[in-house]
Amino acid sequence: MNSALYSGWIGHRRFAPKPHAFRYQIGLLYLDLDEQDAVLGLSPLAGKSRFAPFSFRETDYLKTFTATGMRLIDAVRQQVSSALGYTPQGPICVLTQARSWGLSFNPVSFFYCYEADGKLAALLCEVTNTPWRERYHYVLPANGDGLSHVAVAKAFHVSPFLPRDLEYHMSFSPPQARLGVHMADWQGDLKLFDATLNLQRTPLDRPGLHRYLRQFPWMTAKTCLAIYWQALRLFLKRTPIFSHQAADGAFRIAALQPKDQRHEEP
């Protein structure tokens, strides 16, 4: 099975105007979209029912397309094709928080888009902001099998505690035994914020799924509560709040870059 489970740590650091940091354990599903039925058939605790402990629904993603009946895999390929001018023909896999006990929420989901020969062609990042629950897509080209570094102007207001006039610098590794993502917000020569995802892969089978559910029984709820708890801490620190702005366009395309002092290893 190409699908897997990943677990590890996510850390956020704010450097200005008010220092702030936290680190949480996290568990994520890495799902080959062609293996949905096989994955959800692994256990009675998995499935598409509304209140399943572990579930996946295509309509939780790229809703503009999937709400009309388009398959998620086709919607992802269409967005990548519109952005980059070519359509990956291999598997499409998503790294995401599985729907849990009827609750679905992902600050960001990563769609790994492969060529038919197995090389990574692109990533599509679906970002959801808080508290507005809007969505935006960044399309990131990839350089095949190795570590990739990209930069893109921020086009979507994610947090009330960060401005819009920033540039993202991102590094990501291919989903192998270890998976890493690092993202930093830069304002000119000043780094305001960074986030790091550092995960280890475990097989997705019936025993593995049950271990995951024991370790992360309320993963989605934990994420939602953590977001608002950290927001309260930032508010109490009197961190400046920035007015919400509408997104720029439907998606933003990142550019591949060589590693420099602004790129860090995930």
Side-chain angles (χ1 to χ4, degrees), residues 22-210:
F22 62 85
R23 187 169 178 256
Y24 289 124
Q25 280 192 299
I26 190 171
L28 297 175
L29 167 66
Y30 179 75
L31 176 67
D32 185 324
L33 293 181
D34 284 329
E35 295 180 349
Q36 293 181 53
D37 291 341
V39 168
L40 297 180
L42 287 173
S43 167
L45 299 177
K48 296 183 180 180
S49 63
R50 180 172 178 81
F51 295 110
F54 184 92
S55 182
F56 182 85
R57 291 186 180 182
E58 291 202 349
T59 51
D60 289 335
Y61 306 87
L62 277 74
K63 289 188 174 183
T64 301
F65 305 97
T66 57
T68 65
M70 181 182 286
R71 293 194 312 155
L72 180 57
I73 194 169
D74 294 331
V76 172
R77 285 183 174 137
Q78 179 176 303
Q79 284 288 88
V80 171
S81 179
S82 297
L84 301 181
Y86 60 85
T87 304
Q89 296 299 318
I92 305 293
C93 301
V94 59
L95 182 70
T96 189
Q97 287 183 157
R99 174 182 276 267
S100 176
W101 303 102
L103 182 61
S104 173
F105 178 73
N106 275 283
V108 59
S109 294
F110 298 96
F111 290 87
Y112 292 78
C113 308
Y114 294 89
E115 299 289 7
D117 61 4
K119 291 185 178 180
L120 185 63
L123 273 79
L124 185 147
C125 304
E126 182 174 63
V127 182
T128 303
N129 58 16
T130 307
W132 306 283
R133 301 298 293 269
E134 299 168 326
R135 297 180 184 229
Y136 195 78
H137 300 99
Y138 293 93
V139 181
L140 318 179
N143 63 359
D145 296 325
L147 186 69
S148 295
H149 307 287
V150 299
V152 61
K154 186 176 179 179
F156 181 61
H157 200 164
V158 178
S159 166
F161 299 100
L162 283 170
R164 264 276 305 274
D165 57 331
L166 300 174
E167 185 174 59
Y168 289 138
H169 284 249
M170 290 180 270
S171 302
F172 54 91
S173 65
Q176 298 174 349
R178 175 182 172 271
L179 186 155
V181 178
H182 181 83
M183 184 276 293
D185 283 344
W186 287 80
Q187 191 173 52
D189 293 327
L190 178 64
K191 182 163 78 166
L192 299 184
F193 169 88
D194 71 11
T196 302
L197 193 62
N198 196 335
L199 305 173
Q200 298 292 327
R201 184 182 181 116
T202 57
L204 181 49
D205 52 21
R206 187 185 178 104
L209 176 58
H210 290 169

Side-chain angles (χ1 to χ4, degrees), residues 207-230:
L209 176 58
H210 290 169
R211 284 194 299 270
Y212 171 91
L213 289 173
R214 287 194 296 269
Q215 186 176 4
F216 303 104
W218 304 97
M219 189 66 248
T220 309
K222 176 183 174 181
T223 298
C224 293
L225 289 172
I227 287 172
Y228 286 100
W229 168 241
Q230 297 301 331

Side-chain angles (χ1 to χ4, degrees), residues 224-246:
C224 293
L225 289 172
I227 287 172
Y228 286 100
W229 168 241
Q230 297 301 331
L232 176 61
R233 292 181 64 199
L234 289 168
F235 180 78
L236 293 175
K237 287 184 177 182
R238 298 185 179 180
T239 305
I241 296 176
F242 296 87
S243 299
H244 177 59
Q245 296 175 265

